[in-house]
Amino acid sequence: RGRAASRAPGAHNICCLLTRRAHGFYARDAGVAHRKNLGLLRKIICQESTKFKNVWTTHSASPIAYERGRIYLDNYQCCISSIAQEPRILYQKPKCSKSEKIEDALLLECPLGEMLPSASDYKSSLIVLTVQNWLLRLSADSGEILEKIYLAGACCKFRYLSWDTPQEIMVVKSAQNKLPAAARQAGIQQSVLFYLAVFQVLPLSFIGMLEINKKIFGNSVTDVAVSNGILIVMHSMGLVRLYNFQAILEQFMEQPFDLGHEFNWNGQVGVVGKYPFGLPYNIKITDTPPLLFEASSLENAFQIGGYPWHYIITPNKKKHKGVFHICSLKDNALAKNGIQDMKCCSLEPDWIYFHPDMSGRIIHVGPNLIKILKLKEVKNNADQVEIAEDFTIVANRENCVNNTVTVTASGRVVKTRFNLLDDDPEQETFKIVDYEDELDLLSTVAVTQIGADGKAHLDFHCNEHGILLKSIPLLESWDVVRRISYSIRHLSENLHD
């Protein structure tokens, strides 16, 4: 008993050390060094003496994709590394036929602390979906095909890749299933609207395939999505319904299957994930799952976030477009100051979303104003939440000239009978708002039309307080920057130590 008592202080210190390390406070932890390095990088980027220069530009008639330091051109046939001092081609594949066209892609990254079956699993790879229903896993550095999975025959056309749980559970969704015109004219009814194939990634394994059927979810279904374990079903009248996707998989799965294994299923004999059989429909929803939540919103716009949990909708009438209601998920109660309306008169609508930094805040972006909102308890009423401004970012419109009255060369006064739009091209207007999580910076792009070209600048703001830390003018025309080219800018070499 005496020896145990003598070791107690040491044991207590070990417990404290483990607790601090679990929270990232261990001084020699790699995470601490990484955070310090990112802090130094943020200071270098934002200091006044740091300059950016254009070191490389490319043009493309097709969309340009960017993932983790890699630029993809020509429908993912060309991959360029943007990490080096000057971008270099990682691989260039031969031009593919229309039947090999890539419909969508996701980047896979190696999970930490797990033993994986193949050495290639420890390196980044790209999952691509082709027009012929092939799911391919490619090496992100060489474009080599590492795995091939055939999804299904011509009965459905898979088109979209998305994450249920990022870097863990992947969902492949088909285009909406439509009957040929002749079949519709003959009165044949189509009950299956979408197909979903669900995979666990790295190692890539098949979980199940299911149908979204009108007979189960209703005739008004227009679209479906899966996110964070929730099946989201959207209806034509603006209704959004949420179901527990994990519970659906567990309740309605008839039999599990492994990729590459032979199967005998409903009279079909083949190999799972191989041509021509593809994947079996092993999840058959025979009854409407329990409803978790439903809300009605204009154009099915619906978001969940914040703490405590809240959701954002627009009342389901066209006259309310641009008006956002922030309500409690617990009891649907509208938060105090929960109606957000910028009253914009613009061609492009304002937009709102929960801040991706997991702070529970909300970002509301208008043509000339960015509002960062926060949820906080109402004073003397812990059960009610109010929406308050954390900070705002305002476009620079000090030099904006009021042109409602003009004088002609002959001296005649002309009064215009209209006001400028809030996003008039001649006024500075916010076009992009993004969050850089590693550097904890809120970045904005603001544009002003000058003649035929647009002049833009990229600003870095402190994510916590909104203070402007750095402004970088973009020398290229805004149309060029936005639509048909990709420019790489690096820090200039003359940085202070």
Side-chain angles (χ1 to χ4, degrees):
R1 184 177 298 174
R3 285 197 299 269
S6 65
R7 284 198 295 266
H12 176 73
N13 291 338
I14 291 172
C15 290
C16 289
L17 180 61
L18 291 174
T19 303
R20 287 175 58 80
R21 184 169 188 172
H23 287 84
F25 297 132
Y26 186 51
R28 289 179 291 175
D29 194 287
V32 173
H34 184 61
R35 282 192 294 275
K36 286 183 178 179
N37 289 340
L38 290 176
L40 289 173
L41 179 59
R42 171 175 160 148
K43 289 180 180 178
I44 291 173
I45 287 175
C46 294
Q47 68 185 11
E48 187 177 351
S49 60
T50 299
K51 305 296 180 184
F52 288 79
K53 62 180 181 179
N54 188 339
V55 296
W56 179 84
T57 300
T58 190
H59 302 265
S60 175
S62 59
I64 300 174
Y66 174 84
E67 289 285 351
R68 296 286 185 178
R70 299 178 181 88
I71 304 165
Y72 295 96
L73 306 173
D74 303 327
N75 194 233
Y76 293 92
Q77 297 303 298
C78 178
C79 179
I80 298 170
S81 171
S82 64
I83 296 176
Q85 181 66 26
E86 186 168 331
R88 60 184 179 86
I89 294 178
L90 290 178
Y91 62 83
Q92 173 77 63
K93 303 178 92 174
K95 188 175 181 179
C96 64
S97 64
K98 288 185 178 180
S99 64
E100 298 173 311
K101 179 187 174 186
I102 293 173
E103 295 283 358
D104 206 354
L106 286 177
L107 184 71
L108 305 188
E109 296 186 291
C110 170
L112 299 176
E114 292 187 21
M115 296 294 293
L116 300 174
S118 172
S120 65
D121 294 340
Y122 290 96
K123 296 183 179 180
S124 296
S125 55
L126 195 70
I127 284 278
V128 301
L129 174 64
T130 74
V131 72
Q132 294 288 352
N133 287 343
W134 282 96
L135 193 67
L136 310 177
R137 187 165 75 91
L138 310 177
S139 166
D141 294 324
S142 67
E144 175 191 359
I145 297 177
L146 304 175
E147 289 184 79
K148 292 179 65 173
I149 299 171
Y150 186 66
L151 299 175
C155 62
C156 61
K157 298 292 183 182
F158 283 96
R159 289 293 178 268
Y160 311 102
L161 297 176
S162 63
W163 292 115
D164 174 15
T165 305
Q167 300 297 330
E168 293 183 20
I169 305 296
M170 178 180 67
V171 178
V172 190
K173 188 180 86 169
S174 73
Q176 186 168 341
N177 198 20
K178 294 182 179 179
L179 285 173
R184 292 197 300 270
Q185 290 173 1
I188 299 175
Q189 297 293 320
Q190 175 61 269
S191 61
V192 178
L193 291 173
F194 299 96
Y195 297 91
L196 301 177
V198 188
F199 294 86
Q200 187 168 346
V201 299
L202 291 180
L204 197 58
S205 58
F206 175 60
I207 295 176
M209 177 103 82
L210 64 148
E211 303 171 341
I212 301 299
N213 198 309
K214 285 183 180 180
K215 295 178 180 178
I216 301 297
F217 295 99
N219 291 324
S220 61
V221 174
T222 57
D223 203 357
V224 64
V226 178
S227 178
N228 294 295
I230 301 296
L231 176 66
I232 306 165
V233 180
M234 287 152 273
H235 296 257
S236 57
M237 57 280 202
L239 191 65
V240 180
R241 287 178 171 159
L242 309 185
Y243 304 89
N244 187 327
F245 189 58
Q246 185 60 39
I248 290 173
L249 298 182
E250 294 173 359
Q251 180 180 352
F252 296 105
M253 181 178 290
E254 297 187 346
Q255 182 181 333
F257 290 93
D258 294 324
L259 292 173
H261 288 208
E262 291 187 359
F263 72 92
N264 188 334
W265 182 254
N266 292 335
Q268 284 188 318
V269 178
V271 178
V272 180
K274 299 295 183 181
Y275 183 85
F277 302 101
L279 303 173
Y281 297 99
N282 60 333
I283 300 171
K284 295 188 177 179
I285 304 175
T286 56
D287 195 11
T288 306
L291 183 66
L292 293 180
F293 184 82
E294 71 175 9
S296 181
S297 181
L298 187 66
E299 299 175 350
N300 300 112
F302 177 82
Q303 303 176 62
I304 296 179
Y307 181 81
W309 291 107
H310 278 67
Y311 63 90
I312 303 174
I313 60 169
T314 294
N316 197 13
K317 292 184 179 179
K318 287 186 177 180
K319 68 178 182 180
H320 292 307
K321 190 176 180 67
V323 179
F324 303 100
H325 286 200
I326 304 170
C327 305
S328 169
L329 191 66
K330 179 182 178 181
D331 56 10
N332 297 318
L334 181 69
K336 185 178 179 181
N337 301 326
I339 298 177
Q340 295 295 313
D341 183 7
M342 283 193 175
K343 294 181 171 59
C344 300
C345 179
S346 56
L347 294 177
E348 296 184 10
D350 53 326
W351 69 96
I352 192 169
Y353 57 99
F354 286 99
H355 201 312
D357 69 351
M358 305 304 290
S359 65
R361 295 181 296 176
I362 296 169
I363 300 178
H364 190 183
V365 184
N368 65 325
L369 179 66
I370 300 170
K371 295 167 68 174
I372 308 299
L373 308 171
K374 61 183 178 182
L375 286 72
K376 67 175 188 178
E377 289 183 359
V378 174
K379 192 174 182 179
N380 300 325
N381 187 355
D383 294 330
Q384 189 179 13
V385 171
E386 71 172 319
I387 308 300
E389 277 190 10
D390 197 11
F391 60 84
T392 60
I393 300 172
V394 183
N396 181 14
R397 294 188 172 183
E398 294 177 359
N399 298 324
C400 179
V401 179
N402 188 345
N403 293 321
T404 57
V405 178
T406 57
V407 181
T408 66
S410 62
R412 185 166 59 93
V413 176
V414 179
K415 295 183 179 181
T416 58
R417 296 186 178 182
F418 60 88
N419 293 322
L420 291 177
L421 294 172
D422 289 328
D423 60 351
D424 186 274
E426 294 183 0
Q427 301 183 96
E428 184 171 277
T429 302
F430 291 117
K431 294 293 185 180
I432 298 175
V433 178
D434 199 8
Y435 173 63
E436 165 49 49
D437 58 346
E438 291 187 316
L439 301 180
D440 196 30
L441 291 173
L442 196 65
S443 59
T444 66
V445 173
V447 182
T448 306
Q449 195 79 16
I450 300 176
D453 298 326
K455 183 180 180 182
H457 59 90
L458 169 65
D459 291 348
F460 293 138
H461 295 264
C462 167
N463 181 53
E464 186 175 357
H465 302 294
I467 301 168
L468 178 61
L469 302 176
K470 183 82 173 177
S471 185
I472 305 166
L474 301 179
L475 302 180
E476 301 84 1
S477 164
W478 168 247
D479 284 342
V480 173
V481 172
R482 181 178 58 170
R483 294 177 186 169
I484 61 174
S485 77
Y486 194 101
S487 298
I488 297 295
R489 291 171 176 269
H490 285 298
L491 298 176
S492 61
E493 298 176 357
N494 57 340
L495 299 179
H496 294 302
D497 293 334

